[in-house]
Short mmCIF file of all heavy atoms in Angstrom, two decimals:
data_model
loop_
_atom_site.label_atom_id
_atom_site.label_comp_id
_atom_site.label_asym_id
_atom_site.label_seq_id
_atom_site.Cartn_x
_atom_site.Cartn_y
_atom_site.Cartn_z
N ILE J 202 150.60 36.13 76.75
CA ILE J 202 150.34 34.69 76.78
C ILE J 202 150.83 34.09 75.44
O ILE J 202 150.45 34.54 74.39
CB ILE J 202 148.86 34.35 76.99
CG1 ILE J 202 148.38 34.97 78.29
CG2 ILE J 202 148.62 32.84 76.99
CD1 ILE J 202 146.85 34.79 78.56
N TYR J 203 151.62 33.03 75.52
CA TYR J 203 152.06 32.34 74.33
C TYR J 203 151.10 31.22 74.03
O TYR J 203 150.62 30.53 74.94
CB TYR J 203 153.47 31.82 74.54
CG TYR J 203 154.51 32.86 74.60
CD1 TYR J 203 154.92 33.44 75.84
CD2 TYR J 203 155.18 33.33 73.47
CE1 TYR J 203 155.86 34.43 75.92
CE2 TYR J 203 156.14 34.34 73.54
CZ TYR J 203 156.48 34.86 74.75
OH TYR J 203 157.44 35.86 74.81
N TYR J 204 150.87 31.02 72.74
CA TYR J 204 150.00 29.93 72.29
C TYR J 204 150.78 29.08 71.29
O TYR J 204 151.64 29.61 70.53
CB TYR J 204 148.77 30.48 71.59
CG TYR J 204 147.75 31.06 72.53
CD1 TYR J 204 147.82 32.40 72.92
CD2 TYR J 204 146.70 30.28 73.05
CE1 TYR J 204 146.90 32.96 73.78
CE2 TYR J 204 145.77 30.86 73.90
CZ TYR J 204 145.87 32.16 74.28
OH TYR J 204 144.92 32.69 75.13
N LYS J 205 150.46 27.80 71.30
CA LYS J 205 151.04 26.91 70.30
C LYS J 205 149.94 26.18 69.54
O LYS J 205 148.85 26.03 70.08
CB LYS J 205 151.99 25.88 70.97
CG LYS J 205 151.26 24.90 71.92
CD LYS J 205 152.27 23.94 72.52
CE LYS J 205 151.54 22.96 73.47
NZ LYS J 205 152.49 21.98 74.08
N HIS J 206 150.23 25.79 68.35
CA HIS J 206 149.19 25.02 67.58
C HIS J 206 149.23 23.56 67.99
O HIS J 206 150.27 22.99 68.28
CB HIS J 206 149.34 25.30 66.09
CG HIS J 206 150.08 24.26 65.34
ND1 HIS J 206 149.76 23.88 64.06
CD2 HIS J 206 151.18 23.50 65.65
CE1 HIS J 206 150.60 22.94 63.63
NE2 HIS J 206 151.47 22.72 64.58
N VAL J 207 148.03 22.98 68.07
CA VAL J 207 147.91 21.62 68.52
C VAL J 207 147.98 20.62 67.34
O VAL J 207 148.35 19.47 67.55
CB VAL J 207 146.58 21.43 69.30
CG1 VAL J 207 146.35 19.98 69.72
CG2 VAL J 207 146.58 22.32 70.56
N GLY J 208 147.70 21.09 66.16
CA GLY J 208 147.90 20.21 65.00
C GLY J 208 146.64 19.58 64.48
O GLY J 208 146.70 18.71 63.61
N ILE J 209 145.46 20.00 64.98
CA ILE J 209 144.18 19.55 64.39
C ILE J 209 143.73 20.65 63.49
O ILE J 209 143.36 21.71 63.90
CB ILE J 209 143.14 19.23 65.51
CG1 ILE J 209 143.67 18.18 66.46
CG2 ILE J 209 141.84 18.78 64.90
CD1 ILE J 209 142.79 17.98 67.66
N ILE J 210 143.78 20.41 62.16
CA ILE J 210 143.57 21.46 61.18
C ILE J 210 142.33 21.12 60.38
O ILE J 210 142.12 19.95 59.94
CB ILE J 210 144.80 21.56 60.21
CG1 ILE J 210 146.07 21.74 61.01
CG2 ILE J 210 144.58 22.71 59.25
CD1 ILE J 210 147.35 21.66 60.22
N GLY J 211 141.48 22.15 60.15
CA GLY J 211 140.31 22.00 59.33
C GLY J 211 140.49 22.75 58.01
O GLY J 211 141.10 23.80 57.96
N TYR J 212 139.92 22.17 56.92
CA TYR J 212 140.03 22.76 55.59
C TYR J 212 138.68 22.81 54.93
O TYR J 212 137.93 21.82 54.99
CB TYR J 212 140.95 21.92 54.67
CG TYR J 212 142.34 21.67 55.17
CD1 TYR J 212 142.64 20.64 56.03
CD2 TYR J 212 143.41 22.47 54.66
CE1 TYR J 212 143.98 20.41 56.44
CE2 TYR J 212 144.71 22.22 55.10
CZ TYR J 212 144.97 21.19 55.96
OH TYR J 212 146.28 20.97 56.35
N THR J 213 138.40 23.90 54.23
CA THR J 213 137.32 23.89 53.24
C THR J 213 137.80 23.01 52.07
O THR J 213 138.99 22.84 51.86
CB THR J 213 136.97 25.28 52.73
OG1 THR J 213 138.14 25.83 52.08
CG2 THR J 213 136.54 26.17 53.89
N ARG J 214 136.82 22.55 51.27
CA ARG J 214 137.23 21.75 50.10
C ARG J 214 138.11 22.60 49.16
O ARG J 214 139.05 22.15 48.60
CB ARG J 214 135.96 21.25 49.38
CG ARG J 214 136.25 20.52 48.07
CD ARG J 214 137.12 19.28 48.25
NE ARG J 214 137.58 18.72 47.01
CZ ARG J 214 136.91 17.81 46.32
NH1 ARG J 214 135.76 17.40 46.75
NH2 ARG J 214 137.42 17.34 45.19
N GLY J 215 137.75 23.88 49.02
CA GLY J 215 138.51 24.76 48.15
C GLY J 215 139.93 24.91 48.61
O GLY J 215 140.88 24.99 47.80
N MET J 216 140.14 24.96 49.94
CA MET J 216 141.53 25.10 50.48
C MET J 216 142.34 23.87 50.22
O MET J 216 143.53 23.92 49.90
CB MET J 216 141.50 25.47 51.97
CG MET J 216 142.89 25.81 52.51
SD MET J 216 143.61 27.24 51.68
CE MET J 216 145.38 26.98 52.04
N LEU J 217 141.72 22.70 50.38
CA LEU J 217 142.44 21.45 50.07
C LEU J 217 142.90 21.44 48.59
O LEU J 217 144.00 21.05 48.29
CB LEU J 217 141.54 20.25 50.36
CG LEU J 217 141.48 19.81 51.81
CD1 LEU J 217 140.54 18.58 51.94
CD2 LEU J 217 142.85 19.43 52.37
N ASP J 218 142.00 21.85 47.69
CA ASP J 218 142.37 21.86 46.28
C ASP J 218 143.48 22.87 46.03
O ASP J 218 144.39 22.59 45.26
CB ASP J 218 141.14 22.20 45.44
CG ASP J 218 140.09 21.06 45.42
OD1 ASP J 218 140.47 19.95 45.75
OD2 ASP J 218 138.94 21.37 45.11
N PHE J 219 143.38 24.05 46.67
CA PHE J 219 144.42 25.06 46.49
C PHE J 219 145.76 24.50 47.01
O PHE J 219 146.81 24.73 46.41
CB PHE J 219 144.06 26.36 47.25
CG PHE J 219 145.14 27.37 47.21
CD1 PHE J 219 145.28 28.24 46.14
CD2 PHE J 219 146.05 27.48 48.25
CE1 PHE J 219 146.32 29.15 46.09
CE2 PHE J 219 147.10 28.43 48.21
CZ PHE J 219 147.21 29.25 47.13
N TYR J 220 145.74 23.88 48.19
CA TYR J 220 146.92 23.37 48.78
C TYR J 220 147.64 22.38 47.84
O TYR J 220 148.87 22.38 47.65
CB TYR J 220 146.62 22.66 50.09
CG TYR J 220 147.74 22.60 51.08
CD1 TYR J 220 147.81 23.40 52.23
CD2 TYR J 220 148.78 21.67 50.87
CE1 TYR J 220 148.86 23.30 53.12
CE2 TYR J 220 149.84 21.59 51.75
CZ TYR J 220 149.91 22.41 52.87
OH TYR J 220 150.92 22.30 53.71
N LYS J 221 146.82 21.53 47.23
CA LYS J 221 147.37 20.51 46.33
C LYS J 221 148.01 21.15 45.11
O LYS J 221 149.06 20.65 44.61
CB LYS J 221 146.26 19.55 45.89
CG LYS J 221 146.66 18.52 44.86
CD LYS J 221 147.72 17.58 45.40
CE LYS J 221 147.95 16.38 44.45
NZ LYS J 221 148.44 16.84 43.12
N ASN J 222 147.47 22.27 44.63
CA ASN J 222 147.92 22.85 43.36
C ASN J 222 148.83 24.03 43.54
O ASN J 222 149.18 24.70 42.54
CB ASN J 222 146.69 23.25 42.54
CG ASN J 222 145.81 22.06 42.16
OD1 ASN J 222 146.33 21.03 41.72
ND2 ASN J 222 144.51 22.17 42.33
N SER J 223 149.33 24.28 44.75
CA SER J 223 150.21 25.40 44.99
C SER J 223 151.56 24.90 45.51
O SER J 223 151.66 23.76 46.04
CB SER J 223 149.62 26.39 45.99
OG SER J 223 149.37 25.77 47.25
N ALA J 224 152.57 25.71 45.33
CA ALA J 224 153.91 25.35 45.79
C ALA J 224 154.19 25.99 47.15
O ALA J 224 153.58 27.06 47.48
CB ALA J 224 154.96 25.83 44.81
N PRO J 225 155.04 25.40 47.98
CA PRO J 225 155.39 26.03 49.25
C PRO J 225 155.93 27.46 48.99
O PRO J 225 156.70 27.67 48.09
CB PRO J 225 156.45 25.08 49.83
CG PRO J 225 156.21 23.80 49.19
CD PRO J 225 155.71 24.11 47.80
N GLY J 226 155.52 28.39 49.86
CA GLY J 226 156.01 29.75 49.78
C GLY J 226 157.22 29.97 50.64
O GLY J 226 157.70 29.08 51.34
#
């Protein structure tokens, strides 16, 4: 079965801060 992401994403506060301070891999 194939699955696709719907685009509703949840973040912990720590992940949002990490996302802001990291570069795309």
Side-chain angles (χ1 to χ4, degrees):
I202 301 174
Y203 291 91
Y204 286 87
K205 65 179 179 180
H206 96 144
V207 176
I209 302 173
I210 307 171
Y212 302 85
T213 61
R214 175 61 190 271
M216 187 60 201
L217 278 179
D218 290 341
F219 175 83
Y220 203 108
K221 175 63 170 61
N222 296 315
S223 60

